[in-house]
Amino acid sequence: MSRGAIILRGIVLGVGAVVFLFPFYYMIVGSLQTDPDPTIAGAIPNPSNMTLENYTNVNDRIDLWTSLINSGIFTGGVLLGTIVFGVLAGYAMAMLEWRGQKATFALAVLVQVIPFQLLQIPLYVLIARDYGLSDNYLGMILPFLINSTATVIFRQYFLQLPKELFEAARIDGAGEFRLLWSVGLPLVRPALVTGVLLTFIGPWNEFLWPFLITKDAAKQPLAVSLANYISNVAASTDNPFGAILAGAVVLAAPVVVLFIVFQRYFVSTDLGSGVKG
């Protein structure tokens, strides 16, 4: 690639990065402003107009720490179920041969085209009335415990692995769970991180189901608490614009940090390490 092409690519990527990152930057700056400035000029911070009062106002009304803990429990439970069941199902559909294997995979793909909203009423009746799990963390987690998208992702990663590694381990007497733990999982670490990130965003930002299943404010995750705050309280504050942006920053920050920390796994793979020698 010529020097001019490299420079042009750098310029295009730089402009694209600025365009995509500017809304996040503007959201942070707006959340710190004492007097709101919704114009483009407001993107330039004025030290005399910067404060943490907007975050304090949000915390005084909804208890950010409690809401963050609720979101962490909800999201953590969903992540655990997604990874455990997704890895087991993905490995079974990719590495084992059994009757109905193709039909099961087709069903896993088909489930993804069914909107979750269509299932919410029967799920609410089942979980809230029959199981009595309203205002309960388990009631929030159950509908998301198994993720068909993660199952498909893990299956595709397992299909890329050299089958000779598994056959050699089977000859040495390793069982399927030992194969999965010692051979499969180390080679699909990028898939694990991808599955975690994709799954994390969903429950962390989920609003409708937690809103339906929880009426107790002390059990509501951050997305629901912020939505209630914006709907009922933010308009009555001295700086509604700053209060709304402060809530948005609190909700978006964990997702952005998680992606920055683990983004290198999106562009790396360890498949080569298993076939050297």
Side-chain angles (χ1 to χ4, degrees):
M1 184 179 293
S2 66
R3 182 178 179 85
I6 294 175
I7 294 175
L8 179 61
R9 184 177 65 175
I11 293 174
V12 172
L13 292 176
V15 172
V18 170
V19 171
F20 281 103
L21 291 176
F22 181 78
F24 296 99
Y25 166 79
Y26 190 82
M27 178 175 64
I28 295 173
V29 172
S31 70
L32 296 172
Q33 290 178 339
T34 303
D35 298 318
D37 185 358
T39 65
I40 296 297
I44 302 175
N46 181 359
S48 63
N49 191 35
M50 306 296 282
T51 181
L52 293 175
E53 184 178 353
N54 295 320
Y55 292 91
T56 303
N57 290 336
V58 175
N59 187 59
D60 290 341
R61 297 301 184 97
I62 66 173
D63 192 353
L64 286 177
W65 286 114
T66 300
S67 298
L68 281 170
I69 292 173
N70 292 337
S71 289
I73 294 173
F74 174 40
T75 305
V78 173
L79 286 176
L80 180 63
T82 295
I83 297 303
V84 171
F85 293 113
V87 167
L88 291 175
Y91 178 84
M93 286 191 287
M95 294 298 178
L96 305 180
E97 295 184 3
W98 41 280
R99 182 177 299 177
Q101 182 179 22
K102 294 183 179 179
T104 302
F105 174 68
L107 183 61
V109 175
L110 181 63
V111 167
Q112 298 180 43
V113 305
I114 302 176
F116 180 73
Q117 289 77 7
L118 293 178
L119 306 176
Q120 285 187 337
I121 293 178
L123 280 174
Y124 178 82
V125 173
L126 178 67
I127 292 176
R129 188 187 67 182
D130 297 344
Y131 294 167
L133 293 177
S134 59
D135 287 324
N136 187 288
Y137 294 123
L138 186 58
M140 284 192 287
I141 295 170
L142 275 179
F144 305 94
L145 198 60
I146 299 177
N147 189 313
S148 62
T149 301
T151 299
V152 172
I153 290 175
F154 289 126
R155 175 187 180 271
Q156 297 307 113
Y157 265 85
F158 279 121
L159 286 175
Q160 298 176 32
L161 301 182
K163 294 187 181 298
E164 293 79 6
L165 291 175
F166 295 87
E167 294 299 333
R170 288 191 181 98
I171 293 174
D172 291 337
E176 294 302 330
F177 283 104
R178 180 64 183 275
L179 284 173
L180 176 60
W181 181 261
S182 301
V183 180
L185 288 181
L187 296 178
V188 295
R189 279 183 293 178
L192 291 174
V193 178
T194 301
V196 167
L197 289 177
L198 293 179
T199 305
F200 180 91
I201 294 172
W204 184 264
N205 293 327
E206 179 65 28
F207 164 75
L208 188 54
W209 176 253
F211 176 75
L212 290 175
I213 204 68
T214 58
K215 303 304 178 185
D216 184 1
K219 293 292 182 67
Q220 291 177 338
L222 184 60
V224 178
S225 298
L226 287 176
N228 291 333
Y229 172 79
I230 292 172
S231 300
N232 303 322
V233 181
S236 62
T237 62
D238 296 333
N239 185 2
F241 181 76
I244 292 173
L245 290 182
V249 169
V250 174
L251 185 63
V255 179
V256 175
V257 171
L258 192 70
F259 178 80
I260 291 174
V261 171
F262 293 104
Q263 59 85 27
R264 65 189 180 93
Y265 286 97
F266 284 105
V267 294
S268 67
T269 180
D270 294 320
L271 293 182
S273 63
V275 294
K276 289 181 180 179

